[in-house]
Amino acid sequence: MSLSDSQNERARSGNDAVVETLREMLTQQIQVDQLALEHLALQVANHDSAHGLPAISPLLPSMLTNITWVQPSGASVQLFPAEGGSAQSQFEGEQRPPLKLVSQQDGSAPALVLAVPLSGQKPASQLVGRLDLAQLLERLSGTGVAVAIRDEQGRPIVGEQQLFSAADSAVLPLELEGQRWELVGNVSHNRPMERLSLLIWGLLSGLALVVGWASYQWTQLKREQQATLATMRYQTHHDLVTGLPSQSYFAQRLDQVLSELAREDKECALIVLELDNFVELSETLGNEVGKEVLRQVGQRLSECLRKSDIVSRLEGHQFVILLRDISDAIQADLMIEKIQGSLRDRFEVQGQTCAVSASVGIALFPIDGESGSLLLQRADLALREAAKQGAASQMFFNEELREESEHYQAMNGDILRGIEAREFELVYQPVIDLNQGVAHVLEAELRWHHPERGLLPSQTFIPAANRTGAIRLLGEWALRQACKDLRALQEDGLPLAISLPKYPSEFYVRSVAEQYRGIFRENGVAASQFIFSIDESNLVSASPPRKQAVDALAALGVRFAISNFGASFAALNYLDDYPVTYLNLAAQFAIQENESSASATLIEVVAKLAAHYKIDVVAGGADSEERLELLKACGYRFVKGRYFIEAAPLSKVAAYCDSLGES
């Protein structure tokens, strides 16, 4: 065997260990993502969160993107477009068998596509998620490792395909759901050519020097390989901020532990913990302080638990704890008291003193569920209910929550069916400009022509839709319908803007702006002709990703209004941060304005505030001539109410607006 052959053999031997580790990690990552998609499908079916799909999916990994609801007809609606994701038409018309992996062969970025049936939905539907293979391999491989994959027919899938012809590369088979691929890796593939030149020089200078140099190189290579393997293993199994076990490791261990406990007829508790007001803390003191707080919280949680328990950080400022082998709920309650006590001690971070509390939701195995995904879903539901009670609250999943979950699950299925059956409609009420005597804006409202319950106003189903995530599908339908109605208004010579109610879960990621841009283009309307109205309380609770989405939509030209303004004055501090152009004053607030000097003062403050920010105020409650005169006396220019016209279908409202212009 020649020296070069010997070196290649040694390199292949060293590369085998790296590539074998990569293969295991790749397979594990796909299994974890598949479990996460199953968990998300269950939560979509149960619809138990007021914050939309991402908020109720603590195991949703960042690698899994473009989550799409595929209908039996093949049409698709994008539910969770990850930042930078492609348009919703990506999966349109594709039929995916359940729980299968297929490589994307449409010329787009190489990817794996997972499909999971959406349980409880009739007719049958499924969720589809996409994993970017290049990004996945880049994350798994680490620095200095070149990786490529080809299919069984030798067709390139991802990576540097010339690696397959390199003599010292390691090539290992990769089984993915019945498909046989090949994974190739080479730690030394991209090393500088100077190393080869030095080896040649060493050969010419004498065998001893060559052997010594090759031995040194081999030792260095082994050290680098070992360091690379150690880094990859650590990053796979640990959260880089807190050092706790990663969410992928927790997902892998959860069902394993539950299976063990089921065989041993033992119980456990799953605890989901969310830090209260963490977003405000991080924005005020800085992102680095926020990360250090998360690290210290993780450390304190670990100190509270037994060696047999598992604690992991989930998305953002959520943690999950698995308490193994508990005898009853009291034992879990005592542990939570211990955890809450540990968090009461203030945190010292970079010279800053921080106070931290947490809301907690608990689900018990096997009483509340026998699978990890169901326990997570129900613990998260209990957490949401606890958070409503205030900071540092806790709640066990209970029968009332179970009934509520089942109610929302049934309601969600009905809403999805209603969308497909075209049972929803938009009605409009004009905002009148009293100075000019014409309609200024049309405010839209959803109504549901339910086949069994009759005509339902929005307040009877919007809370359920917002809670379950169905509001995204409803919101998209409403926007498309409003675009068509806007075109009809333009054809009738009525240049009116349309105001649509929107909810925080519709703005979870910035890429929603690209989706809406496509809808505007399809219908030939301008984004500036739309006003998105967000309730005051929802605006206050908006997270940074939602704020980014709002900013992206504003950049397209969409205007924003705050509805129900004045009910609590909670949004005053947000007028500097959000692109608000309208304030929809709470109706009861406007009507009572002259009943006391205090109310009159508040009205004056609102007027001055609006003038300062150059924001128009729309007053509701103009339901009679007396109330209209009251609003006029207070200086309101824009009003709405039944005195003019009740909310009605577009044709009736358009005729009324046209008559105003003629008078």
Side-chain angles (χ1 to χ4, degrees):
M1 180 181 293
S2 66
L3 179 60
S4 60
D5 291 339
S6 177
Q7 290 172 339
N8 286 338
E9 185 63 30
R10 288 179 177 180
R12 278 195 299 273
S13 177
N15 287 335
D16 281 346
V18 176
V19 179
E20 180 63 35
T21 300
L22 286 174
R23 181 175 63 172
E24 293 176 0
M25 291 180 177
L26 177 62
T27 304
Q28 176 184 324
Q29 180 70 50
I30 292 170
Q31 291 172 346
V32 168
D33 285 353
Q34 183 169 301
L35 173 63
L37 194 61
E38 292 177 24
H39 173 231
L40 180 60
L42 177 63
Q43 290 185 324
V44 172
N46 288 339
H47 303 294
D48 60 346
S49 170
H51 298 283
L53 294 177
I56 65 172
S57 184
L59 283 182
L60 186 64
S62 58
M63 299 302 301
L64 189 61
T65 61
N66 301 99
I67 297 176
T68 304
W69 172 45
V70 181
Q71 303 171 19
S73 63
S76 61
V77 179
Q78 191 164 304
L79 297 181
F80 183 64
E83 189 169 330
S86 57
Q88 69 176 62
S89 60
Q90 171 182 321
F91 296 108
E92 188 168 357
E94 298 186 12
Q95 292 293 335
R96 299 293 185 194
L99 302 177
K100 290 294 183 182
L101 294 167
V102 296
S103 59
Q104 199 77 358
Q105 301 289 346
D106 58 0
S108 60
L112 294 174
V113 177
L114 288 77
V116 174
L118 194 58
S119 61
Q121 302 300 318
K122 295 181 180 180
S125 303
Q126 54 188 323
L127 289 188
V128 175
R130 178 184 175 96
L131 289 84
D132 187 302
L133 265 180
Q135 182 184 358
L136 180 58
L137 288 183
E138 180 181 356
R139 173 176 295 187
L140 294 177
S141 64
T143 305
V145 182
V147 185
I149 294 179
R150 66 185 180 188
D151 63 18
E152 192 172 13
Q153 286 74 40
R155 293 174 298 192
I157 295 177
V158 66
E160 303 177 29
Q161 297 298 310
Q162 66 267 27
L163 290 174
F164 284 97
S165 60
D168 58 346
S169 294
V171 181
L172 296 175
L174 180 63
E175 291 285 345
L176 295 178
E177 294 291 331
Q179 299 178 79
R180 183 180 176 86
W181 293 355
E182 285 187 327
L183 175 70
V184 62
N186 194 321
V187 174
S188 59
H189 174 69
N190 286 324
R191 297 188 180 278
M193 291 301 295
E194 285 78 5
R195 178 167 296 186
L196 180 58
S197 299
L198 286 173
L199 287 174
I200 296 174
W201 176 84
L203 181 62
L204 297 176
S205 301
L207 182 59
L209 184 58
V210 170
V211 172
W213 179 257
S215 177
Y216 170 77
Q217 294 284 38
W218 174 249
T219 301
Q220 290 295 101
L221 179 60
K222 289 296 291 182
R223 288 176 180 173
E224 292 174 4
Q225 288 174 345
Q226 291 171 357
T228 299
L229 289 172
T231 300
M232 289 190 299
R233 289 192 182 104
Y234 184 87
Q235 292 179 350
T236 300
H237 296 301
H238 293 83
D239 172 59
L240 298 183
V241 174
T242 63
L244 295 175
S246 65
Q247 59 176 336
S248 60
Y249 175 78
F250 182 84
Q252 184 183 31
R253 289 285 295 143
L254 179 58
D255 282 329
Q256 293 176 0
V257 172
L258 295 183
S259 297
E260 294 172 6
L261 294 174
R263 287 194 300 269
E264 298 169 3
D265 195 23
K266 295 181 179 179
E267 300 177 359
C268 73
L270 189 70
I271 300 170
V272 178
L273 177 150
E274 184 174 75
L275 301 183
D276 300 315
N277 303 317
F278 179 80
V279 173
E280 290 79 359
L281 182 149
S282 185
E283 289 179 345
T284 302
L285 301 181
N287 189 49
E288 292 305 314
V289 171
K291 288 183 179 180
E292 179 60 21
V293 169
L294 290 174
R295 190 193 67 78
Q296 292 189 25
V297 168
Q299 182 178 353
R300 293 190 188 185
L301 293 177
S302 298
E303 292 171 353
C304 290
L305 302 178
R306 305 164 299 178
K307 291 184 179 180
S308 60
D309 301 326
I310 305 174
V311 57
S312 173
R313 178 188 169 218
L314 300 181
E315 296 286 340
H317 50 286
Q318 282 192 348
F319 295 81
V320 63
I321 298 169
L322 181 63
L323 295 181
R324 296 187 59 162
D325 192 15
I326 63 170
S327 56
D328 50 37
I330 296 177
Q331 193 173 351
D333 196 35
L334 291 174
M335 178 60 73
I336 293 169
E337 286 186 13
K338 183 178 180 181
I339 290 171
Q340 294 284 31
S342 73
L343 296 179
R344 291 190 190 103
D345 295 334
R346 290 182 173 268
F347 293 78
E348 299 292 336
V349 181
Q350 299 180 7
Q352 303 279 354
T353 301
C354 310
V356 174
S357 64
S359 299
V360 179
I362 313 101
L364 301 176
F365 170 86
I367 299 173
D368 297 329
E370 297 184 354
S371 70
S373 58
L374 186 57
L375 281 177
L376 275 167
Q377 175 246 327
R378 290 182 167 174
D380 189 75
L381 177 59
L383 168 66
R384 299 302 159 197
E385 291 299 315
K388 293 178 182 178
Q389 299 178 8
S393 298
Q394 64 191 57
M395 178 171 288
F396 282 82
F397 184 78
N398 54 45
E399 191 61 35
E400 183 178 348
L401 292 178
R402 188 191 309 273
E403 292 175 359
E404 181 181 346
S405 176
E406 292 173 354
H407 166 72
Y408 279 117
Q409 178 180 356
M411 189 71 173
N412 175 78
D414 207 15
I415 290 174
L416 296 181
R417 181 204 54 76
I419 294 174
E420 289 195 47
R422 300 182 179 180
E423 294 171 1
F424 292 90
E425 72 165 343
L426 284 180
V427 294
Y428 296 92
Q429 187 170 43
V431 173
I432 306 299
D433 182 344
L434 295 179
N435 288 357
Q436 299 185 17
V438 297
H440 181 60
V441 172
L442 294 187
E443 291 193 355
E445 179 186 342
L446 268 169
R447 286 183 180 173
W448 187 1
H449 292 272
H450 196 280
E452 298 175 359
R453 301 170 60 189
L455 182 62
L456 301 179
S458 60
Q459 60 266 28
T460 62
F461 59 86
I462 287 296
N466 196 39
R467 177 75 174 269
T468 62
I471 192 64
R472 291 181 176 169
L473 301 180
L474 271 178
E476 183 182 343
W477 176 88
L479 180 59
R480 292 183 182 277
Q481 183 60 48
C483 287
K484 296 176 183 177
D485 292 344
L486 190 62
R487 288 288 302 273
L489 290 171
Q490 292 172 345
E491 292 172 0
D492 289 342
L494 293 172
L496 297 172
I498 289 180
S499 175
L500 279 175
K502 289 290 178 180
Y503 301 87
S505 57
E506 296 183 73
F507 304 131
Y508 193 80
V509 289
R510 282 178 293 178
S511 57
V512 71
E514 291 304 311
Q515 179 186 4
Y516 285 6
R517 184 207 297 267
I519 294 175
F520 294 144
R521 286 178 175 174
E522 289 172 13
N523 291 276
V525 298
S528 58
Q529 295 172 289
F530 283 93
I531 302 166
F532 287 170
S533 179
I534 308 175
D535 187 86
E536 180 181 65
S537 59
N538 289 330
L539 184 67
V540 172
S541 63
S543 62
R546 293 169 184 164
K547 170 64 168 58
Q548 293 168 355
V550 169
D551 289 340
L553 287 165
L556 293 180
V558 175
R559 291 173 286 171
F560 286 85
I562 299 177
S563 61
N564 204 33
F565 186 83
S568 65
F569 277 90
L572 289 175
N573 294 332
Y574 287 77
L575 294 181
D576 277 325
D577 298 328
Y578 285 83
V580 176
T581 55
Y582 286 91
L583 299 179
N584 283 293
L585 203 63
Q588 70 275 15
F589 183 61
I591 293 168
Q592 299 171 359
E593 57 196 26
N594 274 349
E595 293 184 3
S596 70
S597 58
S599 294
T601 301
L602 289 176
I603 290 300
E604 184 178 353
V605 168
V606 172
K608 290 182 178 180
L609 183 72
H612 172 75
Y613 285 101
K614 298 181 179 179
I615 296 174
D616 292 325
V617 180
V618 177
D623 298 334
S624 65
E625 185 173 359
E626 180 182 1
R627 291 179 177 178
L628 176 60
E629 292 302 321
L630 182 62
L631 295 175
K632 287 181 178 179
C634 291
Y636 286 109
R637 175 180 176 181
F638 300 106
V639 298
K640 62 180 179 179
R642 293 194 299 270
Y643 175 78
F644 299 100
I645 185 175
E646 294 191 22
L650 182 67
S651 58
K652 183 176 180 180
V653 172
Y656 174 80
C657 293
D658 193 41
S659 67
L660 290 177
E662 295 174 355
S663 60

